[in-house]
Amino acid sequence: GGGVVANPTIHNTYYTGIVGNPIVLASPTSTTTYSLIISNNSGIDTSYVTVHVPEPIVALILKPDTSLCSGELYHLASKTNISSNAYFLWAPSAGLDSPSSNYPIASPQVTTTYTLIVSDDWNCFGQAFVNIHVEVQPTLMVSAPITICNGMDTVINASVNGGTFTQWSTGSTTNVISVQPTSSTQYAAFAQNSYCIAKQIVPISVISLPTVS
């Protein structure tokens, strides 16, 4: 087939069943060959056209929308069956370790909606979205490192912006405490806001007293 017949009359279209219109919109869900049968007084001719529908290019499970504290990491997708001709692009690229990866790690500094665009060699494409709401951590400030002699005590303090002081690693819940370590150590201070927890360390070096003979 495939020849041209003068003054043709549309006789039938094999798959669609549409008669009398040579222009047909096809939207198959799998690869399909359509046949067009045309006829006039001279005979019948048949033409064929195949519409190729590629197999799904990707089976990628996106993670749900989430909230993070600034500095935390989040995998945007789970790796499953990925076809070799799948191409990935995440946008915006800010905060991503690899924008062209199928499952990048995100650590945005501000609330961001990431858009994933997936395409293949047939120029088929799809897109999806993951929103990450970023909570700002409280700013926790503590004493600078301290050096003391063994047997001495010292005062350490903490102050917080954008949150509430919670406690020291000693269990004390006051901002200012007095400590008397017998060896070099460190004390941790903690603060939090509605979602995030901040931690800071105060190192204390303890020097042995000189021996007097």
Side-chain angles (χ1 to χ4, degrees), residues 28-40:
T29 58
S30 60
T31 298
T32 303
T33 297
Y34 294 92
S35 62
L36 173 65
I37 303 172
I38 56 178
S39 65
N40 64 6

Side-chain angles (χ1 to χ4, degrees), residues 111-156:
T111 296
T112 304
T113 296
Y114 288 103
T115 301
L116 168 64
I117 299 175
V118 187
S119 60
D120 66 3
D121 292 334
W122 296 91
N123 292 321
C124 296
F125 71 92
Q127 64 180 13
F129 308 91
V130 179
N131 179 265
I132 298 180
H133 178 78
V134 178
E135 295 278 357
V136 178
Q137 288 187 341
T139 301
L140 176 59
M141 295 160 286
V142 295
S143 301
I146 299 171
T147 299
I148 61 174
C149 293
N150 193 9
M152 296 178 59
D153 59 9
T154 187
V155 172
I156 55 177

